[in-house]
Amino acid sequence: MTVSRGIAAVLRSDFHAFVHKCFTTVSPSDEFADNWHIEAIVHRLDVIERGTERRLIINQPPRSLKSIIVSVAWTAWLLGHDPTKRIICVSYSSELAGDLHRLFRIVVDSDWYRELFPKMRNNKDTGIEFVTSQGGFRYATSVGGTLTGRGGDLIIIDDPH
């Protein structure tokens, strides 16, 4: 086992701890500088996940982990808990969409993630679309990219400017 049972239980149930683990997975040479704004984002995403609210706008300066928390860690978290979830991630450029998709893949392909969420398995990956074996997906596109005819349970718009 890559992580102990106790740590696995925390990572499965505590999104803040999960974010920390994702960050150290995608950026192992950098220090995770925990701050109140991370806890605030985590809290608001929990509200969205519970269905209490349906919309959220996060306005923070660049390099404050917004994209890693929302477009990478949260999408991995949601698909880990429900592999039928359909998630669309829209970024301002196709390059950023591809980069965030690559980071998402680093997380979901990691040994620790696969141990935490054994039901979430890759059925297909095109570089912009990751489809689970249970029919869920994470689809990455850009503001000027194609999205016609697609629907999802959740649409994340990351840095549309």
Side-chain angles (χ1 to χ4, degrees):
M1 181 177 265
T2 305
V3 293
S4 73
R5 286 189 179 148
I7 292 173
V10 169
L11 291 174
R12 254 188 239 101
S13 62
D14 180 347
F15 182 56
H16 188 265
F18 185 82
V19 165
H20 186 175
K21 184 69 172 170
C22 288
F23 178 83
T24 60
T25 300
V26 300
S27 193
S29 62
D30 294 322
E31 181 181 342
F32 182 75
D34 205 0
N35 197 355
W36 67 268
H37 78 280
I38 294 172
E39 190 63 43
I41 293 171
V42 164
H43 170 72
R44 297 307 301 166
L45 291 174
D46 181 57
V47 169
I48 296 293
E49 185 178 354
R50 284 186 278 124
T52 309
E53 293 181 18
R54 296 185 55 192
R55 291 185 174 95
L56 173 65
I57 296 175
I58 301 170
N59 287 314
Q60 288 186 308
R63 311 296 300 163
S64 57
L65 296 184
K66 297 178 306 290
S67 295
I68 288 178
I69 294 170
V70 181
S71 295
V72 177
W74 197 44
T75 58
W77 169 269
L78 293 172
L79 286 170
H81 285 91
D82 182 0
T84 66
K85 187 79 73 183
R86 300 170 306 154
I87 304 168
I88 298 170
C89 295
V90 182
S91 299
Y92 73 86
S93 74
S94 58
E95 182 180 348
L96 179 60
D99 287 347
L100 294 173
H101 186 79
R102 182 182 56 78
L103 294 177
F104 165 81
R105 282 303 308 267
I106 289 170
V107 170
V108 299
D109 287 342
S110 68
D111 291 339
W112 66 266
Y113 181 90
R114 295 181 340 156
E115 284 182 33
L116 288 182
F117 302 111
K119 292 181 181 176
M120 206 297 269
R121 289 291 174 253
N122 177 12
N123 191 41
K124 175 179 103 173
D125 186 10
T126 65
I128 61 168
E129 183 176 33
F130 177 96
V131 180
T132 72
S133 59
Q134 295 188 30
F137 62 81
R138 180 193 186 280
Y139 181 76
T141 190
S142 63
V143 171
T146 60
L147 193 55
T148 305
R150 293 218 171 237
D153 302 312
L154 178 68
I155 299 173
I156 297 168
I157 303 173
D158 186 328
D159 235 349
H161 304 302

